[in-house]
Amino acid sequence: MAAGALADVTVADFSQVGTGPATARVFATHGATVVKIESGEQPDLARLAPPMKDSVPGLNRAGWFNELNCNKLGMTLNLKHPAGLDLARRLVRWADVVVENFTPGVFERLGLGYETLRALNPRVILFSTSIQGAGGPHSGHPGFGVTLAGLTGFAHLTGWPDRGPVEVYGAYPDWLLPPVGATAILAALAQRERTGQGVHIEASQYEVALNFLGPVLLDYTVNGRVWARRGNRDSAAAPHNVYPSAGDDRWCAIAVTEDAEWEALVRVAAIPALEAARFATAEGRKRHEEEIDGLLAVWTAARRAEDVVGPLQAAGVPAGFVQRGEDLRADPQLNHRGHWHVREHAEIGTCTLSGNPYALSETPAEIRHPGPLFGQDTERVCREVLGMSDDEFATLREAGAFS
């Protein structure tokens, strides 16, 4: 295999938890040398987040951490120790890109603000991301993915009309920023090729998330309409829902947007009541959507999801399984595309990591290994990246630079 598309890029990753590490992961999977820096006293919080292998807690057992930090070198630094801070600045001189996701102002107070970094390395690209961005009245508000899901309005839109807001699964906005952030960094690298100068990219996760609510914002700004929770309903499609299937907690999804799809659904389901003239048009189906849902639910509940989805798809009706974890791992489409990568981890053994959802024809992304053990590459980075001698490394370790 040819070297990765980003094999000549070097990244110092000071970020932790989700969105920052996921941004740096894009570069690591395309061949960049990425050094992940953690505090010896305060490891990346993702190391403490379940699920853990065999449900046994441990700094090296978190699936989430191993997923987000694959292919990276891991080292510890004490940024509050003068020697540790000096090592961080030496890494900045080496790096093309620095990634951090501290609360605005923290990186500067640590002595690593952009002006300091640029004085050390005029070509360095600093990527900073935070919940609501730097500057402004709410910049310093503490937050987490779940609070941002509420702030952006995702929670307001999720759930049923007669019930309260429901949080979307996980720290949803965290996963919206990384592809945007990676694109911004690539643009900065391209600009640097022309100008020779680095740049500071400052990204608000709040604003990135709003880009995924375009129709909601447009409808308000143009028509003054405020969207609300509507369960599984769609503005135009009907039926548009998930329906029970035979088995334990098995479900399937069906969405009909055109008359031809509806006619095919009626043929496959062979439910006489669905042939009524009042269901023949899209307007009629929306008007009688609850009645259609009831008829379809009786039909689907008597069948396995495979016996509903397969015939509907064959007839051209959009239908799909509501998959669980084991279904996704066994999904033939994902496996055909090589989405899953099985690798060995020094402490937890065999583990499965997900690949990138796109493929470069000549230099596809590569998943070489899971996230590093806590501090496993500290000495290697010092010797191979920073050119440190045995005596210097021993002296700095004794001084507490890596703790």
Side-chain angles (χ1 to χ4, degrees), residues 26 56 102 108 125 139 141 172 202 259 310 318 332 335 369 378-379:
V26 174
V56 176
F102 291 95
E108 287 80 358
I125 294 162
S139 176
H141 283 189
Y172 183 66
E202 194 277 309
D259 289 344
N335 282 292
H369 57 76
T378 299
E379 185 171 352

Side-chain angles (χ1 to χ4, degrees), residues 14 35-42 75-81 83-89 91 374 378 382 386 400-403:
F14 289 86
V35 176
K36 180 176 179 63
I37 300 99
E38 297 177 79
S39 163
E41 294 182 349
Q42 186 176 340
M75 75 177 302
T76 57
L77 278 183
N78 182 354
L79 296 179
K80 296 180 180 177
H81 190 292
L85 179 60
D86 180 65
L87 288 173
R89 290 172 171 169
L91 281 172
F374 185 56
T378 299
C382 287
L386 301 179
F402 308 117
S403 60

Side-chain angles (χ1 to χ4, degrees), residues 248-265:
D248 180 22
D249 196 23
R250 306 303 287 178
W251 301 78
C252 59
I254 301 172
V256 171
T257 59
E258 301 175 357
D259 289 344
E261 294 170 356
W262 171 252
E263 292 162 6
L265 169 62

Side-chain angles (χ1 to χ4, degrees), residues 59-316:
L59 287 177
N60 301 312
R61 304 181 68 82
W64 199 25
F65 178 88
N66 286 315
E67 170 79 19
L68 295 177
N69 295 287
C70 68
N71 293 3
K72 300 179 185 178
L73 300 170
M75 75 177 302
T76 57
L77 278 183
N78 182 354
L79 296 179
K80 296 180 180 177
H81 190 292
L85 179 60
D86 180 65
L87 288 173
R89 290 172 171 169
R90 289 168 67 175
L91 281 172
V92 170
R93 293 190 185 95
W94 161 82
D96 294 300
V97 180
V98 173
V99 177
E100 63 95 5
N101 63 347
F102 291 95
T103 300
V106 171
F107 212 48
E108 287 80 358
R109 289 197 292 275
L110 285 170
L112 294 167
Y114 178 60
E115 293 306 320
T116 300
L117 269 56
R118 186 165 66 170
L120 296 168
N121 176 5
R123 290 173 58 82
V124 75
I125 294 162
L126 172 61
F127 178 77
S128 302
T129 180
S130 58
I131 293 284
Q132 299 194 53
H138 301 161
S139 176
H141 283 189
F144 214 61
V146 68
T147 61
L148 187 56
L151 188 64
T152 53
F154 283 106
H156 174 73
L157 296 168
T158 305
W160 302 95
D162 60 343
R163 302 181 191 178
V166 175
E167 286 292 354
V168 291
Y169 167 73
Y172 183 66
D174 274 34
W175 315 121
L176 302 179
L177 181 128
V180 176
T183 303
I185 294 171
L186 290 171
L189 286 168
Q191 174 179 278
R192 193 183 70 173
E193 285 300 301
R194 295 192 301 273
T195 66
Q197 296 297 310
V199 67
H200 183 196
I201 303 166
E202 194 277 309
S204 159
Q205 295 161 36
Y206 187 10
E207 294 171 50
V208 168
L210 292 183
N211 282 274
F212 292 79
L213 292 170
V216 177
L217 299 174
L218 181 63
D219 203 14
Y220 176 73
T221 55
V222 173
N223 301 315
R225 277 194 290 265
V226 177
W227 286 29
R229 295 175 294 284
R230 55 187 180 186
N232 293 322
R233 296 288 170 82
D234 179 74
S235 299
H240 186 280
N241 210 338
V242 294
Y243 302 90
S245 300
D248 180 22
D249 196 23
R250 306 303 287 178
W251 301 78
C252 59
I254 301 172
V256 171
T257 59
E258 301 175 357
D259 289 344
E261 294 170 356
W262 171 252
E263 292 162 6
L265 169 62
V266 171
R267 284 197 303 274
V268 172
I271 303 172
L274 292 180
E275 299 176 5
R278 63 182 179 279
F279 302 148
T281 65
E283 292 77 10
R285 292 192 289 277
K286 282 302 295 181
R287 195 159 50 245
H288 301 286
E289 190 169 10
E290 188 168 345
E291 183 182 358
I292 293 173
D293 278 346
L295 292 167
L296 283 178
V298 172
W299 177 65
T300 60
R303 292 162 174 78
R304 299 185 310 150
E306 293 85 344
D307 297 328
V308 172
V309 172
L312 287 178
Q313 288 179 340

